[in-house]
């Protein structure tokens, strides 16, 4: 299985939002926090949902 190739990657605070095609050809969007020890990441069907999650994310 090949790794995902992210495109249109943006950074909102410590969270990066990127778009990729999954192995079934569907377009997905992910939000992942890059802060040390946080571990937040989630996949979304809409880019706006991923960006909203990035804007409202608070590291614990």
């Amino acid at each position: 299985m090949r790794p995902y190739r992210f495109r249109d990657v943006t950074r909102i605070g410590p969270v990066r939002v990127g778009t990729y095609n999954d192995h079934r050809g569907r377009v997905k969007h992910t939000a992942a926090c890059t802060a040390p020890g946080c571990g937040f990441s989630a996949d979304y069907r809409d880019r706006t949902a991923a960006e909203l999650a990035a804007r409202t994310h608070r590291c614990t």
Side-chain angles (χ1 to χ4, degrees), residues 2-9 18-23 28:
R2 291 180 17 208
Y4 295 125
R5 299 204 53 177
F6 291 93
R7 62 184 186 277
D8 196 19
V9 177
T19 302
Y20 68 96
N21 289 357
D22 68 1
H23 295 296
K28 298 269 188 134

Side-chain angles (χ1 to χ4, degrees), residues 18-37:
T19 302
Y20 68 96
N21 289 357
D22 68 1
H23 295 296
R24 294 184 180 196
R26 297 176 293 204
V27 176
K28 298 269 188 134
H29 310 278
T30 190
C33 187
T34 59

Side-chain angles (χ1 to χ4, degrees), residues 40-52:
F40 166 77
S41 68
D43 289 335
Y44 299 94
R45 292 187 332 183
D46 300 321
R47 175 78 182 197
T48 54
E51 290 179 359
L52 178 64

